[in-house]
Amino acid sequence: MSELRIDPTLDDLTPEQLRAVMPRCDVATWHPLLVAAMAPRGIVTPARVCAVLAQVAHESGELRRLEEVLSYTAERLMQVWPKRFPTLESATPYARAPEALANHVYANRLGNDGAGDGWRYRGGGLIMLTGRANHAEAAEGTGLGLVEHPEILRTPGPAPAVTACWFWQSKGCNELADATTGSMPEDAFRKLTRRINGGLTGLTERMAYWTKAKEVIS
């Protein structure tokens, strides 16, 4: 694990910096929540702050969307989940039916084992925590009642910010963010994106937010 270095020129993330990176977010609401949640998780250097802002900006639509979008056309379902919906006929019952879709695609996985768990533990928060098992792990790590009340992740407040920063630290994202200051920064950022997303979905947008963050936080 790399040694934590706090840049003495980096004050707490300012409202103006947050607004510059995410012009559409509610800065008055989210600025104090993010500042309070980042420091205890070691997100205190320019590289780490820039990287986390880039990732959550994409995942949450600039902190405006705290719930996974699950309303798709049948055609789009075939693109998003091609193995689950190989034909239009198989996709049609779940088109524009978010609850039914969540209970179908998340059933008996990610720790979901009860009726309705797929919908109850659908993606929520700033990094879209998904599945009962992940909610339970985050609850243990944060002390929040995320298993009993997963809806608190989908409501603006401390829970989404605290949980996102816990997830970030617990998955080794601080160390990956540190590597973005090395000789191959874009490769490091791609690795970081995979750690958050499982793939490289939205990489272009994530990198655009990252570039902007580095312009205003350095």
Side-chain angles (χ1 to χ4, degrees), residues 4-175:
L4 176 63
R5 294 180 177 85
I6 300 177
D7 187 329
T9 68
L10 177 67
D11 296 325
D12 288 339
L13 176 69
T14 68
E16 292 75 21
Q17 288 170 331
L18 180 59
R19 184 175 293 108
V21 178
M22 302 184 215
R24 296 175 294 171
C25 84
D26 180 352
V27 172
T29 295
W30 286 108
H31 172 257
L33 295 173
L34 286 174
V35 169
M38 289 193 298
R41 299 297 175 180
I43 307 169
V44 291
T45 67
R48 295 180 182 187
V49 172
C50 290
V52 76
L53 291 182
Q55 295 293 340
V56 301
H58 173 80
E59 293 287 333
S60 66
E62 298 191 8
L63 315 185
R64 297 176 303 134
R65 184 181 64 248
L66 301 179
E67 181 174 345
E68 181 180 10
V69 175
L70 289 166
S71 181
Y72 296 101
T73 63
E75 291 80 6
R76 181 59 179 157
L77 285 173
M78 294 172 64
Q79 296 173 347
V80 176
W81 285 287
K83 293 183 179 179
R84 291 182 177 273
F85 303 111
T87 66
L88 194 62
E89 182 180 8
S90 64
T92 297
Y94 301 99
R96 303 300 186 194
E99 185 169 352
L101 175 62
N103 285 329
H104 177 65
V105 298
Y106 294 137
N108 302 313
R109 55 188 293 256
L110 301 174
N112 296 333
D113 56 10
D117 274 2
W119 176 249
R120 181 171 173 79
Y121 299 108
R122 64 193 182 278
L126 300 183
I127 296 188
M128 296 298 156
L129 195 73
T130 307
R132 184 185 184 98
N134 286 324
H135 279 70
E137 184 180 359
E140 183 176 354
T142 63
L144 298 171
L146 300 173
V147 176
E148 297 82 2
H149 299 287
E151 70 277 2
I152 65 175
L153 281 179
R154 302 189 286 270
T155 304
V162 168
T163 301
C165 292
W166 163 84
F167 181 93
W168 180 271
Q169 183 190 46
S170 71
K171 302 303 180 183
C173 293
N174 277 332
E175 290 71 29

